[in-house]
């Protein structure tokens, strides 16, 4: 994991509350780079919301297109699955 993955980002929700997010991974797709974020403090009794941001000129821009966000989420989950549950080298 790179040093930048140890950073936290503070975002303000629609009610004005500050929420810290931790980057989980970055994803490349169709010439753009994205970062997948999760809340820094997860409440195990609540569903954690994943936030996907596009990186444009070192600025995080919210992905507002549901299809684009879903595509990036699926890519990130496939990469995580491959990383953690990939093919066994013993085969």
């Amino acid at each position: 994991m790179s040093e930048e993955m140890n950073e936290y980002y503070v975002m303000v929700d629609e009610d004005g509350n500050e929420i810290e997010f931790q980057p989980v991974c970055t994803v490349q797709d169709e010439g753009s780079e994205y970062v997948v974020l999760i809340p820094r403090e997860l409440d195990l009794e609540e569903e954690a919301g994943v936030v996907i941001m596009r990186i444009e000129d070192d600025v995080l821009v919210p992905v507002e297109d549901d299809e684009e966000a879903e595509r990036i989420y699926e890519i990130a989950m496939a990469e995580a699955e491959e990383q953690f549950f990939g093919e066994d080298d013993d085969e």
Side-chain angles (χ1 to χ4, degrees), residues 8-80:
Y8 295 98
Y9 298 93
V10 177
M11 295 187 209
V12 179
D13 69 11
E14 60 273 355
D15 297 324
N17 302 312
E18 289 186 350
I19 303 170
E20 289 185 333
F21 286 87
Q22 177 177 3
V24 177
C25 67
T26 57
V27 173
Q28 299 279 338
D29 185 56
E30 297 183 4
S32 295
E33 185 175 13
Y34 301 84
V35 63
V36 179
L37 306 160
I38 59 170
R40 182 174 179 193
E41 294 184 20
L42 293 175
D43 183 348
L44 297 178
E45 295 181 14
E46 293 182 22
E47 187 174 317
V50 173
V51 175
I52 299 173
M53 306 286 279
R54 186 179 318 102
I55 302 171
E56 295 180 4
D57 299 320
D58 294 329
V59 175
L60 298 181
V61 178
V63 174
E64 297 180 4
D65 179 3
D66 291 340
E67 288 180 22
E68 180 181 12
E70 182 66 28
R71 184 179 74 246
I72 300 309
Y73 178 81
E74 293 298 325
I75 292 169
M77 292 302 100
E79 288 179 6

